[in-house]
Amino acid sequence: MTPSSFLPEFEPGTVWLVGAGPGDPGLLTLTAVHALGWADVILHDALIDPRILTYARPDAILENAGKRGHRPSPKQSEISDLLVAHAQAGRRVLRLKGGDPFVFGRGYEEGLALAAAGIRFRVVPGVSSGLATLALHGVPATSRDSNHAVILATGHLAEDKSLDWAALAKTGQPIVLYMAVANLAPITAALQAGGLAAETPVIAVHAATTGAEQAVAATLAELPHLAAAGRIRSPAVIAIGAIAPLRAAIAPHLAEPILDVAS
Ligand SMILES: C[S@@+](CC[C@H](N)C(=O)[O-])C[C@H]1O[C@@H](n2cnc3c(N)ncnc32)[C@H](O)[C@@H]1O
């Protein structure tokens, strides 16, 4: 028995929606590495760390499904159509997405399109950036003494009022924000209106596990100012609440970068 005998066969004419984790190739799953080694075509998001693509077959077709130069991003329907067309041509198609494909990744939408076209596909979970980033910085997503729930939220649609931020604040549970850097002013105002104190601790991590990683520990009220000053940049994971300061007790023993503490 070899390690690869535990892994499923990547059959021609199928699509695998694969999570690539936050960037560090060490956080890829075995199934993701296996898929990279078999795929005929890889359609990857713009944020995929280039180190991960080195696991691709040398003759694989690599297509960036994110922003390309100054051209606009392809529409979701165009990406789905491409997946279907490659699969119908009999290729092994790998759709590679950052983090986990089903966490703010539009993986489900692509699955729906594949199902509608009668294409068989597999979903390969990945390590979601929100949870990976916290763990790497010594912040538990949950601990027995701090919280029994954690909220993952997108800040992308903050301005269209699609999410009731005040209601989230009232739960008293920590909130882990994705895609929120551009909307920190309205989000933090809504959370404070919902009852979160201005001094609520936060940690923000930009480009976690890549060479460009930057982390800041601060308070809720400081977040918009830090973003305006360029000290929190996208992509970032931002954790708000009682879990954020828990890192202090174990941080001296971690091999992770020391946090910049906002004044
Ligand atoms: C379109 S969402 C995709 C989330 C992804 N499916 C996941 O599970 O991590 C993109 C957002 O994920 C977060 N993100 C992804 N990779 C990151 C990283 N290496 N460091 C910090 N944030 C990251 C940022 O909030 C970014 O705006």
Side-chain angles (χ1 to χ4, degrees), residues 238-249:
I238 301 169
I240 301 168
I243 57 173
L246 298 183
R247 63 175 295 281

Side-chain angles (χ1 to χ4, degrees), residues 22 98-100 103-105 128-130 177-179 205-208 210 234-237:
D100 183 283
V103 177
F104 304 129
S128 189
S129 57
L177 296 175
Y178 293 62
M179 293 178 278
V205 185
H206 161 72
T210 74
S234 187
V237 163

Side-chain angles (χ1 to χ4, degrees), residues 28-227:
L28 285 168
T29 63
L30 275 182
T31 310
V33 174
H34 170 71
L36 282 159
W38 275 95
D40 300 310
V41 182
I42 300 173
L43 258 84
H44 62 89
D45 282 351
L47 272 181
I48 294 295
D49 191 297
R51 293 172 294 174
I52 286 175
L53 296 175
T54 64
Y55 289 85
R57 250 174 46 198
D59 60 335
I61 302 166
L62 264 59
E63 294 184 21
N64 185 342
K67 279 196 178 8
R68 289 167 296 183
H70 295 296
R71 281 183 282 165
S73 308
K75 291 197 185 76
Q76 188 58 49
S77 59
E78 292 170 354
I79 296 172
S80 298
D81 289 350
L82 258 180
L83 293 174
V84 169
H86 282 305
Q88 284 174 341
R91 303 188 179 106
R92 297 179 188 85
V93 187
L94 171 46
R95 175 70 174 111
L96 191 61
K97 292 171 164 288
D100 183 283
F102 273 24
V103 177
F104 304 129
R106 313 203 60 174
Y108 180 70
E109 288 89 325
E110 290 173 16
L112 283 176
L114 294 168
I119 306 286
R120 280 184 315 121
F121 65 98
R122 175 182 291 273
V123 183
V124 181
V127 182
S128 189
S129 57
L131 300 180
T133 299
L134 297 190
L136 290 166
H137 282 269
V139 177
T142 65
S143 83
R144 282 173 68 113
D145 294 334
S146 61
N147 60 306
H148 299 289
V150 63
I151 296 164
L152 305 185
T154 170
H156 185 51
L157 300 172
E159 275 159 359
D160 77 1
K161 310 261 187 289
S162 60
L163 203 52
D164 185 343
W165 293 97
L168 296 190
K170 286 191 175 67
T171 66
Q173 301 300 314
I175 301 169
V176 179
L177 296 175
Y178 293 62
M179 293 178 278
V181 175
N183 290 320
L184 284 173
I187 292 171
T188 54
L191 290 173
Q192 288 179 74
L196 280 192
E199 300 74 34
T200 303
V202 304
I203 169 173
V205 185
H206 161 72
T209 81
T210 74
E213 177 167 322
Q214 281 180 326
V216 179
T219 65
L220 182 64
E222 288 170 325
L223 279 176
H225 309 292
L226 289 167

